Amino acid sequence: MSLSDLQSEIRALLHERNAILLAHYYQREEVQEIADILGDSLALSIEAARTNADVIVFAGVHFMAESASIISPDKTVLLPHLGAGCPLADKITPASLAEARKKYPDAAVVTYINSSAEIKAHSDICCTSANAVKVVNSLTDARQILMIPDGNLARYTARFTDKEIIPWEGYCPFHHFVLPEEVARAKAEHPGALFIAHPECNEAVVAMADFVGSTSAMIEFCRKTDVREIIVGTEIGIMTPLKKQNPEKIFISPSESLVCQTMKLITLENILASLKTMTPVIKVPEAIRIPAKRALDRMLAVR
Ligand code: CIZ
């Protein structure tokens, strides 16, 4: 079947099932093209809660589908490929977090949204890469913050707070292994270009950036800037919305590392199969969902 036939069949089945397709910015272009909503993980989960659809097909990774299930427990959440996990989320377990809590009994635990529902359930509050600084500074009673599981985001956040930040030594392998030499080479090849970086990149790469921000912040930055060439330090899927929104601008990826293999496990074929079989379903059990939702709601209350 051709890509466009697959896309048409999916759209028809979405309609028949009263389902919506949510796609993350890091998804394949042909998946982004037919999504009802395109966004970062938090925006997608919030939109999922607002819709009247009965079924949410999540073209993203496991923790994102879990977030949708946490926020919308009455909807059926489908993740078309169960192998679509997040290597960063896997860098912490409930047992290792319990150990860290013992070691730092006074620390508040701030958990990046890229984490399992179970880890969120054991956290004080969640954050995203867009609101990490605000979330940390909102914790007026806490002097010490254990930031999990992304050490790079924790170190970046530490620059904007007086609190003591204890970074968890996890990382996203795709962002973390972008090399400063690769960025320097891209800058040399495109001397007029700006370099924008995601805070999951390592410290040396972040230090080279003209702008640091979450995927949504990067998209907004690229829309507003008058500079025509931009080197983009995040996963390659973001090039799809960037090019679509800014056809007159040139976007350059500095590194071959920036391809999230698990995001790419979601394909038109498995989205179609998932809609036909209504599997695999992601359902967070209530005992985990309720405390995890508390940590997410606490974050959403931060202004
Ligand atoms: O939260 C997300 O969607 C991710 C993975 C990154 C970002 O900056 O939006």
Side-chain angles (χ1 to χ4, degrees), residues 1-17:
M1 214 188 278
S2 71
L3 282 188
S4 68
D5 285 348
L6 275 166
Q7 288 178 321
S8 310
E9 201 170 328
I10 290 168
R11 288 297 333 159
L13 209 47
L14 284 165
H15 182 70
E16 203 176 292
R17 299 261 195 242

Side-chain angles (χ1 to χ4, degrees), residues 24 26 40-41 63-64 112-114 129 198 200 214-216:
H24 192 268
Y26 295 164
D40 63 25
S41 60
F63 79 83
M64 298 179 184
Y112 192 25
I113 194 143
N114 295 36
S129 45
H198 195 278
E200 289 177 24
S214 66
T215 51
S216 306

Side-chain angles (χ1 to χ4, degrees), residues 1-301:
M1 214 188 278
S2 71
L3 282 188
S4 68
D5 285 348
L6 275 166
Q7 288 178 321
S8 310
E9 201 170 328
I10 290 168
R11 288 297 333 159
L13 209 47
L14 284 165
H15 182 70
E16 203 176 292
R17 299 261 195 242
N18 191 25
I20 55 166
L21 176 63
L22 306 184
H24 192 268
Y25 292 130
Y26 295 164
Q27 281 297 304
R28 294 167 183 274
E29 184 169 359
E30 64 272 21
V31 173
Q32 292 196 25
E33 274 170 5
I34 53 161
D36 291 286
I37 305 170
L38 182 65
D40 63 25
S41 60
L42 183 67
L44 290 176
S45 295
I46 292 172
E47 286 302 323
R50 288 202 186 119
T51 158
N52 291 327
D54 298 315
V55 180
I56 295 162
V57 185
F58 218 116
V61 291
H62 195 269
F63 79 83
M64 298 179 184
E66 280 190 329
S67 297
S69 167
I70 291 168
I71 297 180
S72 306
D74 300 335
K75 297 187 183 4
T76 301
V77 180
L78 301 173
L79 178 66
H81 193 305
L82 278 181
C86 171
L88 167 59
D90 293 343
K91 296 261 187 276
I92 189 162
T93 62
S96 56
L97 175 55
E99 278 298 303
R101 276 220 186 250
K102 268 192 228 147
K103 193 167 167 196
Y104 303 107
D106 296 329
V109 175
V110 175
T111 298
Y112 192 25
I113 194 143
N114 295 36
S115 56
S116 69
E118 203 174 351
I119 292 296
K120 288 185 178 81
H122 288 97
S123 307
D124 293 305
I125 187 167
C126 291
C127 74
T128 68
S129 45
N131 63 17
V133 173
K134 263 195 193 161
V135 165
V136 163
N137 286 328
S138 76
L139 301 174
T140 42
D141 293 343
R143 205 189 55 76
Q144 221 183 25
I145 310 283
L146 177 61
M147 271 192 92
I148 60 171
D150 191 300
N152 290 323
L153 179 65
R155 279 181 284 273
Y156 177 69
T157 306
R159 288 167 39 183
F160 304 97
T161 183
D162 294 337
K163 298 182 190 295
E164 182 194 351
I165 302 283
I166 303 156
W168 191 265
E169 289 310 331
Y171 55 83
C172 159
F174 314 109
H175 286 95
H176 184 72
F177 291 117
V178 176
L179 303 173
E181 303 86 273
E182 293 178 305
V183 176
R185 189 168 55 231
K187 282 184 166 207
E189 282 168 8
H190 303 274
L194 291 177
F195 171 54
I196 62 174
H198 195 278
E200 289 177 24
C201 290
N202 67 63
E203 250 181 321
V205 163
V206 165
M208 297 169 83
D210 298 294
F211 175 77
V212 181
S214 66
T215 51
S216 306
M218 284 174 152
I219 288 174
E220 196 188 343
F221 177 88
C222 290
R223 196 162 26 85
K224 287 188 175 158
T225 181
D226 292 331
V227 177
R228 281 174 45 88
E229 271 188 296
I230 302 153
I231 304 164
V232 184
T234 194
E235 211 274 346
I236 193 108
I238 201 172
M239 297 297 188
T240 300
L242 287 179
K243 287 179 184 161
K244 199 169 163 204
Q245 290 176 22
N246 309 277
E248 73 294 357
K249 293 180 184 163
I250 295 166
F251 298 99
I252 302 128
S253 181
S255 170
E256 287 186 1
S257 154
L258 286 167
V259 183
C260 176
Q261 307 296 347
T262 54
M263 280 276 179
K264 306 305 184 222
L265 289 175
I266 307 292
T267 62
L268 291 178
E269 285 82 357
N270 55 35
I271 291 173
L272 183 59
S274 183
L275 272 165
K276 280 184 178 164
T277 59
M278 293 296 285
T279 61
V281 172
I282 303 298
K283 177 91 185 145
V284 176
E286 283 299 282
I288 294 174
R289 191 187 76 79
I290 290 170
K293 185 163 186 302
R294 203 174 298 136
L296 279 172
D297 284 346
R298 203 172 164 201
M299 169 186 81
L300 292 173

